[in-house]
Amino acid sequence: MSGNDTLARLGEVIESRKGADPDSSYVARLFHKGTDAILKKIGEEATETVMAAKDGDRSKIVYEVADLWFHSLVALAAFDLKPADVLAELERREGLSGLEEFALRKVKQREHQGD
């Protein structure tokens, strides 16, 4: 079983909880509270990930990154996106150096500003 399968399954579970009872599902509660609550949770998890990394505790880093990924998947679902959309973007970037990718972003940004 691949990580892609795990992300896809988790994305499907999250999607299925969008309309669930907020009293019976944490994910439904987040959706019920709205996008700002979801984004706030991502900020909290990102901060906790940074703190875990600064402490150098490998198991805590994994735990916090899992929380961050989970809440990021909730945000994707809030915008009707799927894990496959992010995986496709990562695959598009595969083989590009970080510097090449950054340069391409700058070109696209300039083109967009010229519109």
Side-chain angles (χ1 to χ4, degrees), residues 84-94 101:
D85 297 312
V86 177
L87 293 170
E89 175 60 16
L90 290 171
E91 288 168 6
R92 183 192 69 77
R93 294 180 188 186
E94 192 172 7
E101 174 62 22

Side-chain angles (χ1 to χ4, degrees), residues 11-111:
E12 289 170 10
V13 169
I14 289 168
E15 188 67 34
S16 75
R17 304 266 167 87
K18 274 185 172 179
D21 179 3
D23 291 332
S24 66
S25 165
Y26 172 73
V27 172
R29 189 175 308 148
L30 283 173
F31 283 122
H32 181 74
K33 289 180 179 180
T35 306
D36 284 348
I38 295 167
L39 298 177
K40 180 180 177 189
K41 194 64 183 166
I42 291 173
E44 290 171 11
E45 297 302 341
T47 300
E48 291 172 5
T49 299
V50 170
M51 291 168 56
K54 288 192 69 68
D55 290 344
D57 183 336
R58 292 168 52 90
S59 64
K60 193 171 179 184
I61 293 167
V62 169
Y63 182 88
E64 295 301 344
V65 169
D67 281 352
L68 179 58
W69 284 14
F70 175 82
H71 288 91
S72 295
L73 291 172
V74 173
L76 286 173
F79 291 98
D80 295 321
L81 294 165
K82 300 195 177 316
D85 297 312
V86 177
L87 293 170
E89 175 60 16
L90 290 171
E91 288 168 6
R92 183 192 69 77
R93 294 180 188 186
E94 192 172 7
L96 286 176
S97 77
L99 296 175
E100 289 172 325
E101 174 62 22
F102 184 71
L104 286 172
R105 283 190 220 167
K106 286 184 116 179
V107 168
K108 287 182 181 181
Q109 187 178 32
R110 274 183 257 155
E111 289 172 354

